[in-house]
């Protein structure tokens, strides 16, 4: 019985992520999620309480997975390696969980979504700054701001399918910073 509850909960999460990514949060009802997931609407409320908490669960667990799965990439072992990892990260994240990142892009105006993303990126900012300082850049603060803007744009455009040449763009950025 417990196995069935877990699989139904996972179906709810997967279905909700897909619908939020395609239609947005506001335009997706719990009834629609329940119908597509093949569960009762009451089960959604039992597991999550309401649609807001379902979204919160999806976003928080998504970022937890990213941190756990990419811990090595986010560890500072040297300036060039860290910068290279940060440049490669958007492509890796979107490739691994395209619906999650499409949902994140679509909900980037949502306070919870934005807050979780900022919480994820905040420690990275000071490490990128440290890397640019170590590499002797004249304006490390501006380079940090610039790179973070490029990274932010890359994952958003890639999640929406608007970037088809991500590998080439990544290579261009690596060349710009002479990371290879």
């Amino acid at each position: 019985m417990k196995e069935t509850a877990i699989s139904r909960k996972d179906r709810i999460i997967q279905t909700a992520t897909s619908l939020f990514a395609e239609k947005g949060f506001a335009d997706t009802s719990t009834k629609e999620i329940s119908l597509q997931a093949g569960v009762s609407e009451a089960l959604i409320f039992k597991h999550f309480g309401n649609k807001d908490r379902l979204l919160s669960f999806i976003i928080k667990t998504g970022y937890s997975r990213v941190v756990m799965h990419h811990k090595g990439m986010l560890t500072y072992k040297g300036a060039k390696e860290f910068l290279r990892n940060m440049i490669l990260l958007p492509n890796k994240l979107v490739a691994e969980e395209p619906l999650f990142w499409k949902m994140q892009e679509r909900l980037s105006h949502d306070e919870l979504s934005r807050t979780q993303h900022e919480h994820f990126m905040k420690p990275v900012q000071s490490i990128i700054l440290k890397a640019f300082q170590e590499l002797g850049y004249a304006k490390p603060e501006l380079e940090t701001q610039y790179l973070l803007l490029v990274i932010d744009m890359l994952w958003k455009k890639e999640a929406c399918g608007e970037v088809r040449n991500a590998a080439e763009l990544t290579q261009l950025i690596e060349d710009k910073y002479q990371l290879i």
Side-chain angles (χ1 to χ4, degrees):
M1 184 76 161
K2 190 163 179 97
E3 294 261 343
T4 306
I6 292 171
S7 67
R8 289 186 293 178
K9 183 177 180 181
D10 288 342
R11 278 199 321 258
I12 292 167
I13 293 165
Q14 290 170 354
T15 302
T17 302
S18 179
L19 288 169
F20 294 158
E22 293 302 320
K23 297 178 64 176
F25 178 74
D27 292 333
T28 302
S29 69
T30 53
K31 182 155 189 74
E32 187 175 7
I33 295 167
S34 71
L35 289 171
Q36 283 199 23
V39 300
S40 70
E41 196 173 8
L43 190 61
I44 294 172
F45 297 126
K46 177 184 175 199
H47 284 300
F48 302 101
N50 60 37
K51 190 171 77 164
D52 289 330
R53 286 194 195 135
L54 171 59
L55 177 63
S56 177
F57 180 85
I58 292 169
I59 292 171
K60 288 177 181 179
T61 57
Y63 278 104
S64 292
R65 280 191 312 276
V66 168
V67 169
M68 294 305 294
H69 190 249
H70 294 284
K71 207 176 242 182
M73 283 185 81
L74 301 173
T75 303
Y76 192 85
K77 297 172 189 157
K80 285 188 174 192
E81 182 180 352
F82 187 80
L83 290 175
R84 187 166 192 273
N85 285 340
M86 289 309 302
I87 292 165
L88 296 171
L89 192 60
N91 181 262
K92 286 182 182 261
L93 295 178
V94 174
E96 290 169 2
E97 294 195 53
L99 284 178
F100 175 76
W101 291 102
K102 185 175 182 178
M103 179 194 75
Q104 276 298 98
E105 190 284 327
R106 186 173 189 106
L107 299 176
S108 59
H109 63 281
D110 177 83
E111 186 168 341
L112 173 65
S113 181
R114 191 176 59 251
T115 301
Q116 283 298 309
H117 188 71
E118 288 169 2
H119 180 72
F120 171 68
M121 292 301 292
K122 187 169 178 95
V124 170
Q125 184 174 351
S126 62
I127 301 170
I128 291 173
L129 176 62
K130 174 184 171 182
F132 282 126
Q133 288 169 335
E134 280 183 23
L135 292 173
Y137 278 80
K139 298 180 180 178
E141 294 85 4
L142 284 177
E143 292 290 353
T144 300
Q145 185 178 8
Y146 172 77
L147 184 58
L148 286 171
L149 287 169
V150 169
I151 289 168
D152 194 54
M153 181 270 313
L154 270 176
W155 79 258
K156 288 178 179 177
K157 295 292 186 183
E158 213 170 321
C160 292
E162 294 177 17
V163 172
R164 303 276 183 238
N165 59 341
E168 290 174 89
L169 289 170
T170 300
Q171 183 67 52
L172 179 71
I173 300 165
E174 286 177 307
D175 291 347
K176 176 194 176 350
Y177 289 113
Q178 301 171 2
L179 299 175
I180 296 181

